[in-house]
Amino acid sequence: MKIKNIMAREVLDSRGNPTVEAEITLEDGSTARGISPSGASTGEKEAVELRDGDQSRYQGKGVEKAVAGINQEVKRTVIGSAFADQVAFDQVLIDLDGTPNKARLGANAILAASIAFARVNAVSKKIPLYRQLIERDTYVMPVPCMNVINGGRHADNNLDFQEFMIAPHNAPSFKESIRMGEEVFHSLRGLLKSKGYYTGVGDEGGFAPNLKSNEEAMEVILEAIQKAGYKPGADISICLDPATSEMWQDGKYLFYKSDQRQLSTEELITLWDKWIKQYPIVLLEDGLGENDWKGWKQMTAALGNKVELVGDDIFCTNPAIIAEGIREGIGNSVLIKLNQIGTITETLEAVKLAQANNYNCFISHRSGETEDTTIADLVVATNAGHIKTGSGCRSERISKFNQLLRIEEELGAKASFAGIKTFKI
Ligand SMILES: O=C(O)[C@@H](CO)OP(=O)(O)O
Ligand SMILES: [Mg+2]
């Protein structure tokens, strides 16, 4: 089917920053949109966003240049053409950009167009997006890893570690697991309030209380799980993303917010080992920083058979870096973020590579999100079994949960719930 029109516009993300929305219309009249998310704790090797740098609009964060790239160059190239598949379309965008990190047209522009193309084909074929991405007979519904306490770069006031997540895995379905997660979220609100803490939320919809230590965050979450009537570990486990690249300075990990101390790589691995023994942790993302490859090898040797070790900043959803990580024995799971690499095709390539090498894939949102729910379909399409897309409130996060509820209902007997076995433990 030929592309009749493609256009882009500047819209806003959940932090009130501009981002790119692309819209494609096919000759059969089908129309669909895609919107790029945006990160705060970004990996150094991520594909880059194109921002205007013109201080008169949004303090330089405007995306009019990225929008213009779609409205002019990309439009001239793709209009009136038919593309055999997603790979063919994305390759045109990659070639047109011509840089290794999508800096010229911008990964924010390229991803929005790539998503719009996937969606418009689903619309044209009258099939759901997850089936457009990967056609299967049966699909796996993910465990929602809900970020209930926000710290690090996602909250100004409190903890060093960025994300404290609950994983309600002892459930028969996604619908029941999200209910369990929400019950704990509300129980946590009550508990924080009763302890005199502030219950406002951070960027990803988790609470951002002024807790005194990272340990206190763990304790209060465990208490909230119990108060909601569940057993920590048996019903609901903990996942962490301390985002330690943000703490890495001169070869040490600097605790810059709640605790005033610094740890060596070895000391931080020892801390994780202690935490894994002490708390029901099933997943640790970015337990060490992106430039600490040697440390990652040590950590994988020490903890790789006890907990899922997810690489976010270290892999940047980049198939070439993931391949190197697999060769080097780094981690046992890959965080998957569409805008770290910039196209649907390369994202699916990253997933395929990881899964073929017995690595898990943990599908993820960004801290700056929108109403675009592509990652909900992506986690189902890839049978990745777990997703992180924030917490129990804020619609840009809930929209993904709601889409998963719709997908589960639509799949009926063709869907099974991932449960605890999805984690590499
Ligand atoms: O570190 C992360 O995993 C993400 C998403 O939770 O944060 P950001 O989008 O800010 O990189
Ligand atoms: Mg991360």
Side-chain angles (χ1 to χ4, degrees):
M1 189 63 60
K2 284 185 187 160
I3 291 182
K4 188 171 167 204
N5 195 22
I6 179 167
M7 57 89 66
R9 62 175 69 85
E10 188 178 71
V11 294
L12 295 170
D13 73 14
S14 56
R15 277 193 279 248
N17 291 324
T19 187
V20 182
E21 174 172 88
E23 195 168 305
I24 298 180
T25 304
L26 298 181
E27 281 199 335
D28 66 1
S30 308
T31 300
R33 299 179 182 132
I35 314 180
S36 284
S38 180
S41 59
T42 49
E44 287 172 14
K45 300 203 172 93
E46 289 194 19
V48 298
E49 297 174 337
L50 181 60
R51 297 209 176 260
D52 297 341
D54 168 5
Q55 295 296 322
S56 66
R57 302 186 71 254
Y58 291 107
Q59 290 85 40
K61 288 184 181 165
V63 292
E64 288 198 324
K65 281 185 195 159
V67 163
I70 301 275
N71 287 342
Q72 293 160 23
E73 234 180 294
V74 173
K75 183 172 178 170
R76 269 200 307 275
T77 312
V78 304
I79 209 156
S81 298
F83 297 88
D85 53 20
Q86 187 80 36
V87 178
F89 181 77
D90 287 345
Q91 196 56 51
V92 167
L93 298 176
I94 293 166
D95 292 345
L96 204 57
D97 173 74
T99 68
N101 59 358
K102 304 190 172 63
R104 201 179 70 78
L105 290 173
N108 43 353
I110 292 174
L111 179 64
S114 182
I115 293 173
F117 184 79
R119 285 190 175 280
V120 81
N121 279 289
V123 171
S124 173
K125 289 189 229 162
K126 298 188 173 56
I127 59 170
L129 180 59
Y130 59 89
R131 278 185 55 201
Q132 170 66 29
L133 295 175
I134 300 178
E135 183 70 55
R136 298 178 192 273
D137 294 334
T138 58
Y139 289 91
V140 174
M141 296 305 298
V143 175
C145 302
M146 302 166 74
N147 183 6
V148 291
I149 291 189
N150 295 186
R153 297 267 176 248
H154 296 167
D156 291 328
N157 53 310
N158 59 359
L159 307 166
D160 295 294
F161 297 162
Q162 183 178 282
E163 301 172 26
F164 295 79
M165 295 171 266
I166 50 167
H169 45 72
N170 189 22
S173 61
F174 175 79
K175 182 179 176 186
E176 293 306 298
S177 89
I178 201 76
R179 176 183 58 74
M180 289 164 67
E182 288 292 349
E183 285 171 3
V184 174
F185 182 72
H186 293 296
S187 148
L188 181 58
R189 181 194 295 271
L191 203 56
L192 289 170
K193 208 170 151 191
S194 73
K195 289 177 191 281
Y197 286 118
Y198 168 70
T199 53
V201 298
D203 283 356
E204 298 191 347
F207 300 111
N210 276 317
L211 298 171
K212 286 162 206 73
S213 68
N214 296 300
E215 284 77 7
E216 195 186 359
M218 296 296 285
E219 300 295 344
V220 74
I221 291 171
L222 295 180
E223 200 180 332
I225 293 173
Q226 279 162 326
K227 271 224 151 77
Y230 298 108
K231 280 204 187 68
D235 296 319
I236 301 179
S237 296
I238 306 289
C239 304
L240 297 172
D241 178 8
T244 59
S245 299
E246 303 294 316
M247 298 162 64
W248 174 258
Q249 224 175 15
D250 304 325
K252 291 263 185 194
Y253 292 91
L254 202 66
F255 288 63
Y256 58 104
K257 289 172 82 186
S258 48
D259 311 303
Q260 301 301 322
R261 58 178 169 150
Q262 55 178 40
L263 295 184
S264 67
T265 297
E266 290 71 22
E267 287 167 332
L268 193 48
I269 296 173
T270 305
L271 176 78
W272 297 135
D273 197 23
K274 185 172 147 235
W275 273 37
I276 291 162
K277 288 192 185 106
Q278 196 175 342
Y279 306 117
I281 297 170
V282 290
L283 179 151
L284 173 62
E285 175 187 328
D286 283 4
L288 293 176
E290 63 191 313
N291 292 317
D292 194 2
W293 274 71
K294 221 176 100 225
W296 262 95
K297 269 180 109 161
Q298 275 169 262
M299 179 170 71
T300 308
L303 309 176
N305 57 359
K306 299 184 193 167
V307 71
E308 179 163 329
L309 293 173
V310 183
D312 171 10
D313 290 352
I314 196 162
F315 293 139
C316 288
T317 316
N318 185 317
I321 307 174
I322 296 167
E324 199 182 331
I326 291 167
R327 274 197 304 276
E328 296 271 319
I330 301 286
N332 55 28
S333 182
V334 178
L335 197 78
I336 299 292
K337 288 167 167 167
L338 288 154
N339 77 326
Q340 276 186 329
I341 189 71
T343 61
I344 296 257
T345 299
E346 292 160 290
T347 304
L348 292 177
E349 207 185 301
V351 170
K352 212 168 144 191
L353 176 67
Q355 290 179 339
N357 286 280
N358 200 26
Y359 271 55
N360 263 9
C361 289
F362 189 26
I363 309 293
S364 173
H365 64 162
R366 297 310 304 247
S367 50
E369 266 292 333
T370 72
E371 65 271 33
D372 187 297
T373 56
T374 303
I375 59 166
D377 286 76
L378 180 67
V379 72
V380 174
T382 55
N383 280 353
H386 48 348
I387 184 170
K388 66 167 192 172
T389 181
S391 188
C393 69
R394 292 190 62 136
S395 289
E396 77 280 5
R397 320 285 151 185
I398 295 293
S399 60
K400 280 68 163 177
F401 295 140
N402 287 346
Q403 174 67 357
L404 284 163
L405 288 168
R406 288 179 206 111
I407 293 175
E408 185 170 65
E409 184 183 277
E410 177 181 276
L411 280 170
K414 287 185 178 165
S416 60
F417 180 61
I420 186 71
K421 64 180 186 306
T422 199
F423 296 97
K424 279 229 173 268
I425 44 174

